[in-house]
């Protein structure tokens, strides 16, 4: 019989081994000298600049010009194994000056119908994931588009990279982009979890013998000072071809960095929007503007929320037959 003590020691050993494996795999990344890396970034990636927070009168001017709108989306799942589950989606756009009139949109998806009609098999998980991504992106773009038309804000801050909407909701995204350009509304994406590899790829080009296999998120950990941003050169920025200009920035005292995109027709406002994001971000936070954090909390679909909706608006026998797993019944 395996005791708790035995399991504890096994886990301790496995975690120690994991630590050693990571250290070995990323030894070249972890050994990079900070000053050398910063000079490399300046030469091959982009300029490093210090930001100053915007003054209160500058922020008041934004409010006078329509304020800022934050946009985020959320998804959650109720049910058990395929195909007996329902995915619920919700998007929210919230204005800093018309706080009592948030714009919500929602949708649901279940493979009980779609996959059977389209003859999609259970193992085609990528197809299902793509559907979920497209639904969530479309809802976020829809609320942003309605906010642009209704609130006419100075800027729209969207939670995530703008290129995601270009990929997952192209037609709606083009409509939103054109609406923002027509009204001179700045359209900005704030990226909490950076998945690009601009610096690592460039290091590999310049130093082919280096084994750099890391995202920019890992390479930039602790490399920027509080309030610094990297304005990525067009030549290094892979998103430029898709129509975006980008920066990395350290917007809080946490050693991590975030990213920010802006549509290329508004590139002249890139540094200004970087300063706005920096100004709206509490220094003792995870680096995300406070307004986006507020929107994130309000749009969240909790387990209790989705369970309550299912129990209230579905027949009890259908709910139990299709969407309550045996594990859930035991809890």
């Amino acid at each position: 019989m395996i005791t708790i003590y035995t399991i504890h020691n096994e886990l301790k050993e496995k975690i120690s081994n994991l630590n050693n494996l990571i250290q070995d795999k990323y030894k070249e990344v972890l050994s990079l000298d900070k000053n050398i890396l910063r000079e490399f970034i300046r030469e091959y990636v982009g300029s490093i600049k210090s930001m100053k927070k915007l003054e209160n009168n500058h922020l008041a001017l934004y409010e006078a010009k329509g304020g800022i709108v934050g946009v985020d989306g959320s998804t959650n799942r109720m049910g058990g194994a395929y195909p007996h589950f329902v995915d619920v989606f919700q998007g929210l756009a919230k204005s800093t000056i018309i706080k009592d009139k948030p714009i919500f949109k929602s949708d649901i998806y279940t493979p009980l119908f779609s996959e059977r009609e389209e003859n999609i098999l259970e193992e085609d998980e990528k197809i299902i994931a793509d559907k979920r991504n497209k639904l969530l992106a479309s809802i976020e773009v829809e609320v942003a588009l309605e906010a642009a038309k209704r609130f006419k804000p100075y800027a729209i801050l969207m939670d995530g990279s703008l290129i995601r909407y270009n990929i997952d909701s192209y037609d709606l995204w083009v409509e939103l982009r054109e609406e923002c350009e027509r009204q001179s509304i700045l359209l900005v994406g704030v990226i909490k979890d950076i998945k690009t590899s601009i610096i690592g790829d460039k290091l590999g080009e310049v130093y082919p013998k280096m084994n750099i296999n890391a995202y920019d998120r890992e390479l930039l950990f602790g490399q920027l000072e509080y309030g610094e941003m990297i304005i990525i050169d067009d030549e290094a920025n892979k998103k430029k071809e898709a129509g975006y200009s980008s920066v990395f920035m350290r917007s809080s005292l946490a050693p991590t960095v975030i990213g920010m995109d802006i549509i290329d027709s508004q590139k002249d406002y890139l540094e200004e929007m970087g300063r706005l994001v920096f100004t709206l971000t509490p220094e003792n936070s995870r680096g995300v503007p406070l307004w986006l954090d507020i929107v994130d909390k309000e749009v969240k679909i909790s387990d209790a929320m989705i369970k309550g909706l299912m129990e209230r608006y579905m027949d009890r026998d259908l709910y139990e037959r299709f969407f309550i797993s045996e594990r859930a019944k035991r809890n």
Side-chain angles (χ1 to χ4, degrees), residues 79-81 320 323-330:
E320 289 193 7
F323 299 114
I324 299 184
S325 65
E326 289 303 315
R327 177 180 294 179
K329 290 176 182 176
R330 291 198 301 268

Side-chain angles (χ1 to χ4, degrees), residues 35-222:
N35 291 327
I36 292 174
L37 181 59
R38 285 171 66 91
E39 285 305 313
F40 179 89
I41 289 170
R42 287 190 180 97
E43 184 172 356
Y44 294 101
V45 178
S47 57
I48 301 176
K49 294 191 176 183
S50 293
M51 296 178 285
K52 289 185 178 179
K53 295 208 173 190
L54 298 169
E55 301 292 338
N56 288 337
N57 59 346
H58 205 146
L59 293 174
L61 183 62
Y62 288 162
E63 296 294 285
K65 290 182 176 181
I68 308 298
V69 164
V71 173
D72 199 0
S74 177
T75 182
N76 201 350
R77 175 173 290 182
M78 181 73 191
Y82 178 99
H84 300 105
F85 62 79
V86 174
D87 287 327
V88 179
F89 303 86
Q90 186 165 254
L92 167 62
K94 189 177 178 73
S95 166
T96 55
I97 60 174
I98 314 174
K99 300 174 185 178
D100 60 340
K101 293 184 179 179
I103 298 171
F104 280 98
K105 288 190 181 294
S106 57
D107 204 349
I108 64 170
Y109 162 76
T110 173
L112 277 171
F113 299 103
S114 305
E115 268 58 60
R116 289 181 180 179
E117 290 169 3
E118 298 167 23
N119 198 29
I120 296 174
L121 301 176
E122 178 177 357
E123 55 266 28
D124 293 329
E125 293 180 5
K126 186 178 184 306
I127 296 175
I128 297 173
D130 285 345
K131 283 178 175 287
R132 298 179 81 235
N133 291 339
K134 290 179 187 302
L135 273 169
L136 184 60
S138 294
I139 281 177
E140 291 176 25
V141 176
E142 283 176 16
V143 294
L145 182 58
E146 186 171 333
K149 294 175 179 178
R150 188 192 302 182
F151 300 140
K152 305 186 188 315
Y154 181 75
I156 296 176
L157 301 184
M158 304 193 71
D159 184 22
S161 176
L162 298 182
I163 200 167
R164 175 168 70 92
Y165 306 110
N166 195 98
I167 294 168
D168 290 329
S169 185
Y170 180 76
D171 291 340
L172 274 172
W173 167 250
V174 169
E175 188 178 349
L176 172 62
R177 177 175 176 140
E178 290 176 349
E179 181 68 21
C180 288
E181 288 174 328
R182 186 180 67 80
Q183 292 198 53
S184 298
I185 298 169
L186 298 177
L187 191 52
V188 179
V190 179
I191 308 144
K192 292 176 283 195
D193 191 15
I194 300 170
K195 294 286 177 61
T196 55
S197 56
I198 295 170
I199 300 170
D201 290 348
K202 192 60 71 173
L203 279 165
E205 289 176 20
V206 178
Y207 304 109
K209 291 185 179 180
M210 289 188 73
N211 181 26
I212 301 295
N213 182 23
Y215 289 127
D216 295 316
R217 177 182 181 274
E218 288 103 40
L219 285 169
L220 288 172
F221 185 88

Side-chain angles (χ1 to χ4, degrees), residues 14-28:
K14 289 181 182 297
I15 290 170
S16 294
N17 288 338
L18 174 62
N19 181 77
N20 295 335
L21 286 169
I22 292 174
Q23 282 187 330
D24 184 61
K25 181 176 181 180
Y26 294 104
K27 59 185 175 184
E28 291 193 84

